[in-house]
Amino acid sequence: MHKISLFLFVLLSPIFVSQAQHPQSPSEFLGYELGTEFSRHHQVVDYFKMVAAQMPNQVKLEKYGETYERRPLYTAIISSEENIKNLETIRQNHLRNAGIVNGNSTSNDIAVVWLSYNVHGNEASSTEASMKTIFTLLTEKQEWLKNTVVIIDPCLNPDGRDRYVNWYNQTKSTPYNIDQQASEQNEPWPRGRANHYLFDLNRDWVWASQKETQARLKVYNKWLPQIHVDFHEQGINDPYYFAPAAEPFHDIITDWQRDFQTQIGENHAKYFDAKGWLYFTQERFDLLYPSYGDTYPTYMGAIGMTYEQSGQSGLGVLNDEGDVLTLVDRLEHHYTTGLSTVEMASKNAEKLNTEFKKFFANKNVKYKSYVMRGSADKINGLKELLDQHEIIYGAAASGKITGYSYKDGKTGSRNTNSEDLVVSALQPKGQMVQVLFEPHTQLADSITYDITAWSLPYAYGLDAMASSNLVTTTVVGKTPELNTKNTNAVAYVSKWDHMKDAEFLAELLKQNIKIRFTEKPLTTRNSESFNRGALIIIRGDNKKVENFDDLVIAAANKHKRKVVPVLSGFSKTGPDFGSPDVKLVNKHNIAVLSGNYTSSLGYGEVWHFFEQQLHYPITSINTNDFARTNLDKYTVLVIPNGSYGKLFNESNMEKLQNWVKKGGKVIAIDGALNIFADHKDFDLKKNKPKDTTSVKNTLVPYAERERDNTNDLITGTIFKTEIDNTHPMAFGYDQNYFTLKSGTSAYSLLEKGYNVGHLGVNPKKISGFAGKNTLENLENSLVFGEERLGKGSMIYMADNILFRNFWENGKLFFVNAIFFVNNNAFEQ
């Protein structure tokens, strides 16, 4: 028996070795030819698990997080057996090259390549390609792995992918229908592009507002690859796109980064030419906006690239040129560029290491230090973002600095103290620091793919100064002060100027604690001063609340809010606590429109805001159900950005108006203002552009029309606005606010309503691109406004303060609109 067992072991052992060296192909594992079906996310994960289990000496599979819908996020690290054995040493050496880890690198010949697939869920061919790519690397391209570590993230957006794949699998014909008008070629709202909260993850790399991004950044920053590729799909009539990218390139991008993109593109072209595949380069996709999957890696020292395959077209579609584009074609193209990229990394590993190290030398730095001043909440908010990217910061030492003042728009000087935050550009990630903090975006070309301004001091509402000198920092340690209860207090009072205050308010409301806010500044008998919007939690309002003090103190400590116990409601100056100017905050029932007509991204921003930031309940109402919805159940209706067309017909508009007149409150954001603009029953009017037509304009040559059109564009530009901070919508703000304007829509100042925020006679562009024909139309235009309609209010937000969730300083306008504006409406 023993001899038989030994015989069988010897006989079969070559088979086991063979299997261990050659994992199943994707088609063998899945049970269908790759590209003839869409694989669900769990099947892709299972395939990568199988490969890792069969080849543990060459594949290291790591779960790095989960999505909001609890799907796992994985990276597969692939290399030679020798490299996998020494993987941590390779990683540490790599980070030494970047200056992240102290010491000199002991090796300079291993390249690190990161391939990211399917960040947009309905651009689904790349995840299929990822399976073929890992299989081929391990079975046919072992030689490249001797000096290359390849990191594959097979699906950055599993929730969006499965939303698309499940819909398509349920909808498609058998055999699939290639007609562009077929239902399987036309996704329903909200489509599969975005994640659970309908955020575009490809624009979230810097802002890290989403769970998937936050998890990815932790592992990305552990490696900082030298090459990063983001795989996408575009329209069905566009050939394949690969680097080099289009202008504008940000000016910190090095000559080497530019040149090596071209070398990689030439290598791709060799394979595509041999196959007769069409492609294009140097068009559309620029390297400027920092929060993309190509730009973020670029500013972190990598060769960051976007590859775009025509697609979003099911298993096959007939394009306008009469060719059938199949999923098999699409994944084959992504597979080819993926392998070509790894090949180029392997051939140039030493050069990649040398140039990667040079990138982090931070030469020719214009501003060496960025010094920020503001409330502790705003400073801490920025620190949290910097921590996500492992960017170093410190507290300023006492002294004096000279530099560019963001607030004043000119050179100035001031004294510094330990409350000021300093971020230096002379650190390993100094190039990214320069991009994120630069006061003015430098544009080599006005034709861009995205917004052109994002400066963090403006986004966080900080008084900042950029200095060409290195500002000395000091270490300041503070123990958080915890509140203690005072049962003799008539009330607890808390300031109001940050989203953290709003979170505190929401927590108390959910616990049925009654809260008031002051519409005028006041000073208590103990000489504590509070500005408009301060929260006043009065014991007498909460007689029925058991453990009143404990609940208030627990909520305050949880949200790190300082509450001041006040022994008398008789104020030293300003209103007493029983004044009509100290109003009760209503516990609102909030509805939000979703579905057709609404922008899925716009709705997602609102949805995410309430669930993940404010933590306050809402009811989503599908636009298809609006006509039969009982609006009387709600006190606030939020209409997100969108194109609402015929939704608000005469009947639906009358319904909405009647509800508002009874005391309802509508908050219309961005494109939603067009529902009411120039309508006979509303005060909102569009700014009428002056006639700029001329013979010269009509004779612009065809080849110059695209560039000429930029004269009429605003592409994500920062403007300085004037604020009426005596109005409840602006409580917590200064008299000036920096707004991010993403388009040219402009509305006249309200004649009968309240103009809470507006651009003045000469709109002041602070950063970003605004065409020469746009500024005139913005003169005296509305940014935030309120119009009373019966007992209720129409609240207009011309600029989307929730845009991509990164303009932190605008969010309090939204909360104020909900809880403070027209507080007498729908009193409860």
Side-chain angles (χ1 to χ4, degrees):
M1 187 72 171
H2 177 72
K3 289 181 179 179
I4 294 173
S5 299
L6 181 61
F7 171 76
L8 289 173
F9 174 78
V10 172
L11 179 66
L12 295 176
S13 58
I15 297 175
F16 293 136
V17 171
S18 174
Q19 287 178 339
Q21 290 178 341
H22 298 287
Q24 284 180 287
S25 71
S27 297
E28 290 170 334
F29 180 82
L30 296 169
Y32 49 83
E33 286 299 313
L34 199 61
T36 61
E37 299 283 355
F38 277 113
S39 308
R40 290 184 172 87
H41 179 254
H42 74 88
Q43 294 175 290
V44 178
V45 169
D46 287 346
Y47 180 73
F48 274 80
K49 285 182 176 179
M50 179 275 295
V51 172
Q54 289 196 1
M55 302 196 72
N57 295 330
Q58 285 196 256
V59 181
K60 187 176 177 62
L61 188 66
E62 294 181 343
K63 180 182 176 183
Y64 68 87
E66 286 189 346
T67 69
Y68 288 105
E69 296 176 17
R70 303 189 305 280
R71 293 182 177 88
L73 297 162
Y74 280 97
T75 55
I77 303 175
I78 309 134
S79 197
S80 66
E81 288 191 26
E82 184 67 21
N83 288 340
I84 293 295
K85 192 184 301 180
N86 299 301
L87 195 61
E88 183 58 18
T89 300
I90 292 171
R91 188 181 74 84
Q92 291 287 332
N93 282 333
H94 182 63
L95 293 182
R96 287 189 185 97
N97 253 351
I100 303 294
V101 173
N102 292 329
N104 296 320
S105 175
T106 58
S107 173
N108 203 38
D109 57 0
I110 304 291
V112 180
V113 178
W114 187 304
L115 306 177
S116 289
Y117 297 91
N118 219 161
V119 68
H120 292 146
N122 57 2
E123 298 175 11
S125 64
S126 67
T127 286
E128 309 292 343
S130 74
M131 292 185 280
K132 186 172 182 179
T133 301
I134 189 174
F135 175 75
T136 301
L137 286 172
L138 292 169
T139 57
E140 299 178 26
K141 304 298 181 182
Q142 293 273 5
E143 193 65 27
W144 295 346
L145 299 180
K146 289 180 180 179
N147 68 343
T148 309
V149 172
V150 180
I151 302 172
I152 289 181
D153 187 333
C155 187
L156 279 68
N157 183 9
D159 291 350
R161 177 183 172 81
D162 270 4
R163 186 186 313 125
Y164 171 75
V165 169
N166 290 340
W167 164 79
Y168 184 80
N169 287 342
Q170 293 167 4
T171 305
K172 73 177 180 69
S173 306
T174 303
Y176 58 83
N177 194 320
I178 62 173
D179 187 341
Q180 292 181 33
Q181 298 184 98
S183 61
E184 66 193 77
Q185 303 294 346
N186 295 279
E187 275 184 272
W189 191 96
R191 306 174 72 238
R193 177 185 178 88
N195 77 336
H196 169 78
Y197 278 110
L198 306 182
F199 271 66
D200 185 334
L201 294 180
N202 188 41
R203 288 160 171 82
D204 192 49
W205 277 77
V206 165
W207 319 130
S209 69
Q210 300 302 291
K211 190 175 183 179
E212 297 90 340
T213 310
Q214 293 162 10
R216 183 184 345 112
L217 287 176
K218 290 178 182 178
V219 65
Y220 187 90
N221 279 288
K222 282 177 62 178
W223 277 101
L224 292 181
Q226 291 147 337
I227 296 177
H228 180 270
V229 180
D230 204 25
F231 292 88
H232 287 265
E233 289 184 10
Q234 52 189 336
I236 62 173
N237 297 307
D238 297 313
Y240 200 96
Y241 166 86
F242 49 73
E247 292 285 355
F249 282 61
H250 195 282
D251 57 10
I252 72 157
I253 297 173
T254 67
D255 291 341
W256 158 254
Q257 287 175 310
R258 287 172 173 260
D259 180 62
F260 198 61
Q261 279 194 62
T262 302
Q263 292 182 44
I264 292 174
E266 289 171 345
N267 202 55
H268 297 345
K270 175 182 67 177
Y271 292 109
F272 273 56
D273 289 341
K275 294 279 190 179
W277 297 338
L278 293 177
Y279 55 87
F280 68 101
T281 66
Q282 304 179 79
E283 297 180 54
R284 299 185 187 173
F285 306 106
D286 57 74
L287 290 176
L288 184 70
Y289 172 68
S291 205
Y292 279 129
D294 55 5
T295 49
Y296 181 89
T298 298
Y299 302 148
M300 290 291 196
I303 311 299
M305 296 173 291
T306 288
Y307 297 167
E308 294 268 358
Q309 163 63 49
S310 52
Q312 302 179 63
S313 51
L315 294 179
V317 68
L318 185 69
N319 69 17
D320 291 352
E321 294 187 348
D323 294 324
V324 177
L325 176 67
T326 68
L327 178 59
V328 173
D329 298 329
R330 289 148 57 198
L331 77 86
E332 191 68 21
H333 299 161
H334 274 328
Y335 159 77
T336 301
T337 55
L339 288 184
S340 173
T341 302
V342 177
E343 178 188 24
M344 287 298 289
S346 178
K347 288 180 177 179
N348 296 275
E350 188 171 343
K351 182 68 171 175
L352 279 167
N353 276 279
T354 301
E355 295 295 335
F356 185 73
K357 187 172 185 176
K358 287 181 182 178
F359 180 89
F360 292 93
N362 293 326
K363 295 181 179 179
N364 302 318
V365 174
K366 180 179 181 180
Y367 295 122
K368 294 179 181 176
S369 298
Y370 300 89
V371 184
M372 271 72 64
R373 177 173 293 172
S375 70
D377 289 324
K378 291 180 179 180
I379 292 291
N380 289 335
L382 179 56
K383 285 180 179 179
E384 289 173 6
L385 181 70
L386 297 177
D387 287 340
Q388 294 270 12
H389 304 289
E390 300 178 16
I391 290 173
I392 302 165
Y393 52 82
S398 296
K400 188 172 184 177
I401 61 168
T402 299
Y404 177 83
S405 169
Y406 288 65
K407 186 176 182 179
D408 299 328
K410 60 185 180 181
T411 300
S413 62
R414 71 176 180 215
N415 294 324
T416 59
N417 58 55
S418 60
E419 301 296 319
D420 295 335
L421 178 70
V422 179
V423 182
S424 171
L426 300 183
Q427 61 171 296
K429 295 178 180 176
Q431 303 284 43
M432 177 62 87
V433 168
Q434 293 179 74
V435 173
L436 296 182
F437 286 89
E438 60 189 355
H440 307 288
T441 309
Q442 299 300 317
L443 286 173
D445 195 317
S446 57
I447 300 177
T448 60
Y449 195 65
D450 212 283
I451 65 174
T452 55
W454 50 78
S455 185
L456 292 182
Y458 295 121
Y460 280 78
L462 296 168
D463 183 4
M465 187 166 282
S467 175
S468 57
N469 298 317
L470 187 62
V471 176
T472 305
T473 59
T474 184
V475 177
V476 178
K478 280 193 173 182
T479 303
E481 295 182 20
L482 295 179
N483 300 284
T484 56
K485 65 182 179 181
N486 186 334
T487 56
N488 294 319
V490 168
Y492 294 97
V493 185
S494 180
K495 70 171 184 63
W496 183 266
D497 61 12
H498 194 265
M499 263 300 298
K500 294 292 183 184
D501 302 315
E503 292 173 25
F504 175 49
L505 170 65
E507 172 106 355
L508 294 176
L509 288 174
K510 286 187 294 184
Q511 297 188 60
N512 295 315
I513 293 175
K514 292 184 178 180
I515 310 145
R516 295 180 185 269
F517 70 99
T518 177
E519 288 196 327
K520 294 181 178 179
L522 65 81
T523 302
T524 69
R525 301 306 291 179
N526 290 336
S527 298
E528 294 107 341
S529 295
F530 295 92
N531 216 329
R532 292 179 173 88
L535 303 179
I536 304 174
I537 312 156
I538 300 175
R539 186 181 301 278
D541 286 335
N542 294 280
K543 293 176 181 177
K544 297 180 181 179
V545 177
E546 294 184 14
N547 304 318
F548 166 73
D549 296 273
D550 292 330
L551 291 174
V552 172
I553 297 302
N557 289 340
K558 174 182 175 182
H559 295 282
K560 299 179 182 177
R561 301 299 88 196
K562 177 64 177 175
V563 290
V564 177
V566 179
L567 301 180
S568 174
F570 183 21
S571 296
K572 190 173 183 179
T573 62
D576 300 323
F577 290 178
S579 165
D581 293 320
V582 176
K583 291 184 165 58
L584 199 65
V585 177
N586 292 325
K587 187 177 180 182
H588 286 288
N589 293 324
I590 301 169
V592 180
L593 282 190
S594 67
N596 293 327
Y597 300 103
T598 67
S599 157
S600 60
L601 298 176
Y603 167 71
E605 289 159 354
V606 175
W607 181 21
H608 181 270
F609 176 82
F610 279 105
E611 287 196 0
Q612 296 295 322
Q613 298 170 70
L614 190 61
H615 306 288
Y616 193 86
I618 58 170
T619 299
S620 294
I621 296 175
N622 195 290
T623 51
N624 292 337
D625 301 323
F626 183 79
R628 57 178 178 270
T629 296
N630 178 12
L631 290 180
D632 290 341
K633 294 179 65 176
Y634 313 104
T635 55
V636 176
L637 175 65
V638 179
I639 308 181
N641 182 32
S643 299
Y644 287 87
K646 298 179 181 179
L647 174 65
F648 286 96
N649 54 28
E650 185 175 345
S651 174
N652 282 343
M653 182 63 83
E654 183 180 2
K655 175 180 180 174
L656 184 70
Q657 286 178 277
N658 289 337
W659 174 77
V660 173
K661 288 175 181 177
K662 288 188 292 183
K665 191 155 45 178
V666 168
I667 302 176
I669 302 173
D670 200 356
L673 271 67
N674 290 319
I675 300 169
F676 311 105
D678 297 327
H679 189 284
K680 62 182 178 64
D681 294 329
F682 298 95
D683 193 20
L684 187 68
K685 302 290 185 290
K686 290 182 180 179
N687 255 11
K688 303 299 182 184
K690 297 178 181 179
D691 185 11
T692 57
T693 304
S694 67
V695 174
K696 180 180 177 181
N697 284 345
T698 59
L699 295 178
V700 172
Y702 176 82
E704 296 177 16
R705 281 295 173 97
E706 182 181 16
R707 187 163 303 282
D708 185 69
N709 288 339
T710 63
N711 292 326
D712 301 309
L713 296 179
I714 291 176
T715 51
T717 307
I718 299 171
F719 285 86
K720 189 174 184 178
T721 67
E722 298 176 27
I723 297 295
D724 174 10
N725 60 2
T726 67
H727 188 280
M729 202 197 309
F731 285 174
Y733 286 93
D734 295 329
Q735 291 181 328
N736 291 117
Y737 164 76
F738 294 93
T739 190
L740 181 68
K741 189 166 285 294
S742 58
T744 57
S745 294
Y747 304 89
S748 303
L749 298 180
L750 301 174
E751 293 182 5
K752 301 175 184 177
Y754 302 97
N755 297 295
V756 182
H758 73 283
L759 299 178
V761 176
N762 296 306
K764 189 173 181 182
K765 183 197 76 169
I766 301 299
S767 182
F769 177 77
K772 64 181 182 181
N773 297 337
T774 63
L775 296 181
E776 207 171 66
N777 192 43
L778 292 177
E779 288 185 2
N780 288 321
S781 64
L782 186 73
V783 176
F784 305 116
E786 182 206 1
E787 175 187 356
R788 297 289 171 94
L789 198 65
K791 293 182 178 179
S793 287
M794 302 295 301
I795 295 171
Y796 305 121
M797 293 186 162
D799 295 340
N800 182 6
I801 40 78
L802 300 180
F803 178 72
R804 294 181 189 167
N805 189 45
F806 85 96
W807 206 257
E808 291 292 333
N809 196 37
K811 294 176 181 177
L812 204 60
F813 284 111
F814 189 53
V815 180
N816 289 342
I818 295 167
F819 293 109
F820 290 171
V821 173
N822 194 4
N823 191 258
N824 294 321
F826 269 136
E827 287 186 346
Q828 295 181 348

